[in-house]
Amino acid sequence: MTLSKKTILTPLLLVAVILTSSAQTNNPDNYIGQFNPITTAVPFLMIAPDARGGAMGDAGVASEPDAFSMHYNPAKYAYIKKDMGVGISYSPWLKGIVNDINLAYLSGFKRLDKDQVIAMSLRYFNLGDINFTDANGWSIGNYKPNEFAIDGTYSRFLTSTLSMAVSARYIHSNLTQGQDVGGTATKPGNSVAADVALFQRFPLEFDKMTGDFSWGMNISNIGTKISYSDDNTRKDFIPTNLKIGPTLNLNLDDYNQLSFMVDFNKLLVPTNAITSGDTIISGMDPNVSVPVGMIHSFYDAPGGFQEEINEISICTGIEYWYAQQFSVRGGFFYENRNKGNRKYFTLGAGFRYNILGIDFSYLIPMETQNPLEHTLRFSLLINFDAPSVR
């Protein structure tokens, strides 16, 4: 293992087992205008796993459904125009720093009838090889930290235009392979979670073209806190997230289609409070239950309403299709500089022929030496049949 990789990954492993809560900071000057990102366990759940969404700024809560809809909005499955399909995606991650971290994603769906669809997915995040050492710096072995999540969902129409979905998720995070970190015995973290999602589409007619307007909402990862030690009093929130946004699809003519979409995301977990010793100076106590934390997430920021607005990240995307066979995509992802400061453009393309679909995307950061630069995603879709749906 190279020195640069150890420097990057060691803090990642320590986050899971440090004795102080990751939801607080002891800097009393950390008010609005200061760097104050929200931290959670298992952030790999928030990574866009497929090339199509990755090419559109990670947007997709109301885009055209496909096999990868589980991540963005499982309610879209009810609208899918296929009987059965499978999607496989692979993404090298942090390629600018290391070369053996990657995210693999497998998903599939099956239509039960014209109103109902079921789907499943497996997300596997490989953190590469890490050389663990003891207090004296002697090697105690090479390990392969990893995380995965298994999902299942049921999606159906509620009305002629509105669909919904309920999903269940099992999360396993094995960052330390059972090693002692900072004198603390560790274990794999486990959690269970659920998603609740809605999707609606309305047809549109113009003088010389047709189209439709869609909107979607997905509250994902509503689940139990996760712990990496036997001391269950120290638990971290998982990334419960609210995703909502619209999409406009325009059929320019019989061969050309253009889509515009915007997603708004807000983590529904506590914001870091401002403390001095054990006293909270500004903000709210983050040591609350998951339901209370979700409610507090709308008004607990130390900087008030402005900081709450700063916690909303924005994904924008555009997609062009020719004859439903060739596509070109672009997008932009924005995050406030005090909440993570991720800003990047994305590009990509897709090809469909018969039952097969191939997509790829490429990430272009706005900052130099961004660890996400040169990130590529590759996806393969296999779809079967095309029954009549709404």
Side-chain angles (χ1 to χ4, degrees):
M1 179 184 68
T2 64
L3 179 60
S4 61
K5 180 174 181 178
K6 184 176 180 180
T7 302
I8 293 296
L9 291 182
T10 298
L12 176 63
L13 303 182
L14 292 176
V15 163
V17 293
I18 54 175
L19 301 181
T20 54
S21 170
S22 63
Q24 288 191 339
T25 175
N26 290 323
N27 179 6
D29 297 321
N30 192 15
Y31 291 97
I32 185 170
Q34 300 295 319
F35 191 69
N36 189 25
I38 296 176
T39 56
T40 70
V42 292
F44 80 105
L45 294 175
M46 297 296 292
I47 300 174
D50 68 308
R52 179 171 172 247
M56 298 186 293
D58 299 348
V61 71
S63 62
E64 186 69 20
D66 61 18
F68 297 111
S69 294
M70 181 77 78
H71 172 77
Y72 302 95
N73 184 351
K76 296 193 301 181
Y77 280 121
Y79 267 95
I80 205 161
K81 298 176 181 178
K82 300 293 180 180
D83 178 62
M84 183 171 62
V86 176
I88 304 170
S89 188
Y90 175 81
S91 304
W93 204 245
L94 298 179
K95 189 177 180 181
I97 299 176
V98 293
N99 58 13
D100 60 353
I101 297 179
N102 56 75
L103 175 69
Y105 193 72
L106 172 66
S107 60
F109 68 89
K110 177 66 175 73
R111 179 170 291 281
L112 301 179
D113 55 36
K114 66 183 181 66
D115 290 325
Q116 305 175 91
V117 177
I118 57 173
M120 295 189 68
S121 69
L122 169 64
R123 178 192 300 255
Y124 182 81
F125 191 49
N126 172 30
L127 280 80
D129 295 321
I130 294 183
N131 180 25
F132 283 85
T133 60
D134 59 20
N136 298 317
W138 293 98
S139 174
I140 56 177
N142 288 314
Y143 297 89
K144 297 180 180 293
N146 61 82
E147 301 175 297
F148 68 83
I150 302 174
D151 310 337
T153 193
Y154 170 75
S155 177
R156 68 163 295 129
F157 280 102
L158 297 179
T159 70
S160 61
T161 63
L162 178 66
S163 63
M164 62 81 65
V166 177
S167 305
R169 177 170 298 111
Y170 168 69
I171 305 159
H172 179 83
S173 177
N174 189 0
L175 297 179
T176 58
Q177 307 280 290
Q179 299 298 311
D180 288 355
V181 178
T184 301
T186 67
K187 65 177 183 179
N190 296 281
S191 178
V192 291
D195 300 352
V196 179
L198 295 171
F199 180 68
Q200 192 167 26
R201 175 175 289 174
F202 304 97
L204 298 175
E205 291 188 9
F206 304 94
D207 290 340
K208 296 182 179 180
M209 70 179 74
T210 61
D212 57 69
F213 174 82
S214 304
W215 71 273
M217 181 184 71
N218 183 21
I219 304 177
S220 60
N221 303 315
I222 308 168
T224 59
K225 296 181 183 180
I226 197 168
S227 175
Y228 294 90
S229 70
D230 290 328
D231 184 354
N232 288 324
T233 62
R234 303 184 181 97
K235 295 183 177 182
D236 296 309
F237 285 89
I238 64 174
T240 306
N241 184 70
L242 169 64
K243 179 187 287 286
I244 188 169
T247 292
L248 175 64
N249 297 312
L250 298 175
N251 300 314
L252 305 179
D253 54 37
D254 291 341
Y255 295 96
N256 298 280
Q257 184 184 67
L258 195 59
S259 300
F260 303 90
M261 62 203 72
V262 181
D263 287 8
F264 301 93
N265 294 273
K266 189 180 191 308
L267 284 169
L268 304 184
V269 297
T271 304
N272 298 337
I274 307 305
T275 65
S276 178
D278 295 330
T279 303
I280 296 177
I281 298 175
S282 183
M284 301 179 68
D285 185 0
N287 297 312
V288 295
S289 66
V290 171
V292 172
M294 292 175 63
I295 296 172
H296 284 185
S297 68
F298 290 99
Y299 57 87
D300 67 349
F305 179 74
Q306 182 58 57
E307 187 172 355
E308 294 290 353
I309 294 298
N310 290 345
E311 291 177 355
I312 300 174
S313 63
I314 303 173
C315 312
T316 60
I318 183 171
E319 182 177 44
Y320 166 77
W321 279 99
Y322 176 76
Q324 290 299 308
Q325 290 185 319
F326 303 96
S327 68
V328 179
R329 308 177 180 111
F332 180 69
F333 180 94
Y334 171 83
E335 185 176 61
N336 185 271
R337 63 187 178 89
N338 294 322
K339 294 298 176 178
N341 200 34
R342 292 176 296 165
K343 300 180 182 69
Y344 49 81
F345 292 96
T346 57
L347 298 171
F351 170 74
R352 302 288 185 270
Y353 179 74
N354 202 348
I355 66 171
L356 294 178
I358 299 174
D359 299 296
F360 76 91
S361 66
Y362 185 73
L363 187 147
I364 306 170
M366 292 184 64
E367 309 88 359
T368 58
Q369 297 182 338
N370 186 306
L372 296 179
E373 64 183 336
H374 309 309
T375 296
L376 289 167
R377 295 181 177 94
F378 302 92
S379 299
L380 172 67
L381 290 167
I382 305 174
N383 294 306
F384 302 96
D385 199 5
S388 175
V389 295
R390 297 171 190 262

